[in-house]
C-alpha cells in the first residue's frame, strides 16, 4: 500500500475481492499509516498517468500476489477526512489467479459479507459495505388496493423468483391498514433473509421492526439529518442532481434515481437516459439504483453506467 502524505485529493483504487463462499478479503492497515489499525479493502494510490484497471492489477500483485481476471466497477466514494480528501474507485473482483497472501506483512482474512457491518473500517469504507450487501434488483411493490391476500401472494412470488430487497409502497392505505400489511410482509421477507423497507415514516419503521425506511423525494427534502441510526437502512427517491446531493448530505445508505427510460405510468415525463444517469451518479458517495422502464435483464447496462442495479415495479411484481 502506498503511503499517502499529500493533503490534495488522492485517487485510490480499491478491490472488493469475493470468493465462492461470498466472503470478502480484508487487510489490516499497519498502525503507522493513516487510519492505521483498521481493517480495509485492499488497494492503493493510482499513480500519475495510470488507469484504474492498471492500478488495480498492480496493487493486487504487490499487496497480495494475485492477478484479477473478472472484475467490474462497483462504486466511487469521495470522502473528506480532517487532513485529506480521498476518492475511492472501488472494483468488485469475482475471479483471480494465484493464492492471496499479505506480501507487505499485513494480516489478511476472509469475512462473510453479512458480517461486514460488525467490522471497524475507515469511515470512507462504509458505502462499500452497503454496495456489497445490496442485491442487483430492488422491488417496489404494486398497490395492494383492498386485497391484502393477493398482494402477499404476489410478494411471495417475487421472493420465490430471487428478490431480496423490497420497498413496501402502499400510498392508498391508511396508517392502520399499512401497519397490518407491513407486519405480514415482514414475516415473509424475514423467513428467507430478504430485507423490507417501508415507504412510510421512520416511526412506523421502528414500530414494525422493518429493515429500513425509503424516503420519497418530498420526505427526503424535509429532512436535515439521517432519520434512523445505522442499524436500519435509509434509502431515498431522487429525480435530480440536487436531490442526490441532499440524499448524500443526510447520509442515506442508497438512492433510487428516475426515470431513466420512458414509463407507462408517467408517459409525459422526460427520461434521464443512461448517459445522463451515468454522469449524475458518478462519484456519488452511496449506491444508486436505476428506476424507470427497467427490467431484470438491464442489470449489466446499469453496472456499466455506475448503478448498483435496477429498481422496478411491474418487471418484478406482475411477472409472477
Amino acid at each position: 500500500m502506498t503511503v499517502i502524505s499529500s493533503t490534495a485529493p488522492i485517487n485510490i483504487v480499491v478491490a472488493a475481492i469475493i470468493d465462492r463462499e461470498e466472503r470478502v478479503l480484508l487487510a489490516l492497515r499497519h498502525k503507522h499509516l493513516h487510519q492505521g489499525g483498521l481493517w480495509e479493502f485492499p488497494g492503493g494510490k493510482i499513480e500519475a498517468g495510470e488507469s484504474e484497471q492498471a492500478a488495480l492489477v498492480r496493487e493486487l500483485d504487490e499487496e497480495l500476489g494475485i492477478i484479477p481476471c473478472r472484475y467490474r466497477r462497483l462504486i466511487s466514494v469521495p470522502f473528506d477526512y480532517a487532513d485529506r480528501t480521498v476518492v475511492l474507485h472501488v472494483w468488485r473482483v469475482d475471479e483471480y489467479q494465484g493464492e492471496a497472501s499479505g506480501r507487505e506483512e499485513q494480516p489478511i482474512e476472509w469475512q462473510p459479507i453479512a458480517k461486514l457491518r460488525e467490522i471497524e473500517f475507515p469511515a470512507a469504507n462504509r458505502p462499500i459495505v452497503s454496495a456489497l450487501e445490496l442485491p442487483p434488483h430492488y422491488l417496489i411493490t404494486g398497490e395492494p388496493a383492498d386485497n391484502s391476500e393477493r398482494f402477499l401472494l404476489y410478494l411471495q412470488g417475487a421472493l420465490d423468483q430471487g428478490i431480496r430487497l423490497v420497498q413496501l409502497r402502499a400510498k392508498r392505505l391508511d396508517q392502520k391498514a399499512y401497519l397490518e400489511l407491513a407486519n405480514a410482509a415482514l414475516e415473509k421477507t424475514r423467513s428467507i433473509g430478504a430485507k423490507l423497507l417501508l415507504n412510510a415514516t421512520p416511526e412506523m419503521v421502528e414500530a414494525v421492526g422493518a429493515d429500513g425506511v425509503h424516503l420519497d423525494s418530498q420526505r427526503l427534502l424535509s429532512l436535515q439529518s439521517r432519520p434512523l441510526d445505522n442499524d436500519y437502512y435509509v434509502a431515498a427517491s431522487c429525480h435530480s442532481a440536487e436531490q442526490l446531493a441532499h440524499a448524500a448530505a443526510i447520509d442515506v445508505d442508497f438512492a433510487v434515481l428516475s426515470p431513466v427510460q420512458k414509463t407507462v405510468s408517467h408517459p409525459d415525463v422526460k427520461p434521464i437516459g443512461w448517459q445522463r444517469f451515468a454522469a449524475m451518479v458518478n462519484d456519488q458517495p452511496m449506491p444508486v439504483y436505476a428506476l424507470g422502464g427497467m427490467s431484470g435483464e438491464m442489470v449489466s447496462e446499469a453496472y456499466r453506467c455506475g448503478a448498483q442495479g435496477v429498481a422496478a415495479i411491474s418487471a418484478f411484481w406482475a411477472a409472477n
Side-chain angles (χ1 to χ4, degrees):
M1 170 70 73
T2 304
V3 178
I4 301 172
S5 58
S6 172
T7 57
I10 304 297
N11 286 297
I12 301 172
V13 68
V14 175
I17 305 166
I18 315 297
D19 70 4
R20 294 179 180 178
E21 299 176 34
E22 287 294 300
R23 300 180 304 172
V24 186
L25 183 64
L26 304 179
L28 187 65
R29 289 185 65 79
H30 292 301
K31 290 187 176 180
H32 69 278
L33 298 176
H34 179 256
Q35 300 289 302
L38 301 178
W39 290 94
E40 68 173 353
F41 301 93
K45 181 180 177 182
I46 301 174
E47 303 295 348
E50 188 177 37
S51 69
E52 291 180 33
Q53 294 95 322
L56 178 72
V57 172
R58 175 182 55 77
E59 284 287 344
L60 293 189
D61 180 36
E62 291 175 358
E63 288 192 31
L64 301 170
I66 62 174
I67 300 174
C69 302
R70 183 164 63 90
Y71 48 93
R72 65 172 175 84
R73 183 187 295 276
L74 184 64
I75 190 174
S76 292
V77 183
F79 194 87
D80 290 325
Y81 289 105
D83 58 345
R84 68 198 66 195
T85 299
V86 300
V87 181
L88 306 183
H89 303 277
V90 188
W91 292 72
R92 175 174 171 133
V93 178
D94 288 291
E95 290 183 8
Y96 61 88
Q97 293 178 349
E99 184 173 348
S101 62
R103 300 184 76 178
E104 297 176 346
E105 299 185 357
Q106 76 278 29
I108 63 171
E109 64 179 34
W110 293 92
Q111 285 288 348
I113 291 175
K115 297 291 186 181
L116 292 181
R117 286 187 180 248
E118 302 173 11
I119 296 170
E120 191 173 3
F121 290 103
N125 283 202
R126 184 177 156 213
I128 305 175
V129 173
S130 293
L132 289 170
E133 289 177 330
L134 294 168
H137 299 135
Y138 182 28
L139 165 65
I140 303 169
T141 66
E143 286 286 343
D146 296 324
N147 193 332
S148 61
E149 289 186 7
R150 184 180 180 186
F151 176 94
L152 293 171
L153 285 174
Y154 270 67
L155 174 59
Q156 186 62 59
L159 297 173
D160 290 343
Q161 293 297 313
I163 292 294
R164 292 297 179 266
L165 183 64
V166 178
Q167 175 196 148
L168 176 56
R169 186 179 185 277
K171 298 287 188 177
R172 300 172 191 169
L173 297 183
D174 61 29
Q175 181 172 320
K176 181 176 181 295
Y178 185 96
L179 288 172
E180 289 176 353
L181 186 62
N183 279 297
L186 184 62
E187 184 176 347
K188 288 189 174 295
T189 56
R190 284 276 165 83
S191 69
I192 61 167
K195 302 296 185 183
L196 179 68
L197 277 62
L198 304 187
N199 192 320
T201 66
E203 292 76 19
M204 291 173 72
V205 171
E206 293 177 311
V208 171
D211 298 292
V213 65
H214 187 102
L215 309 169
D216 60 26
S217 57
Q218 183 177 0
R219 185 171 282 129
L220 165 68
L221 295 177
S222 73
L223 296 171
Q224 298 304 312
S225 61
R226 183 182 172 92
L228 292 169
D229 64 32
N230 291 336
D231 291 335
Y232 297 93
Y233 282 109
V234 176
S237 291
C238 299
H239 308 287
S240 67
E242 292 75 19
Q243 290 178 3
L244 282 172
H246 190 74
I250 70 166
D251 195 27
V252 305
D253 294 293
F254 68 94
V256 173
L257 179 59
S258 69
V260 178
Q261 301 187 131
K262 284 187 176 182
T263 65
V264 175
S265 58
H266 299 87
D268 298 328
V269 178
K270 184 178 179 180
I272 296 169
W274 281 116
Q275 185 175 358
R276 187 176 173 214
F277 176 93
M280 291 173 70
V281 305
N282 185 45
D283 290 343
Q284 286 295 332
M286 71 268 182
V288 182
Y289 285 91
L291 173 64
M294 295 294 103
S295 69
E297 292 71 32
M298 292 180 180
V299 167
S300 294
E301 179 69 17
Y303 287 161
R304 284 192 291 271
C305 294
Q308 174 71 23
V310 297
I313 301 175
S314 60
F316 305 144
W317 190 247
N320 52 77

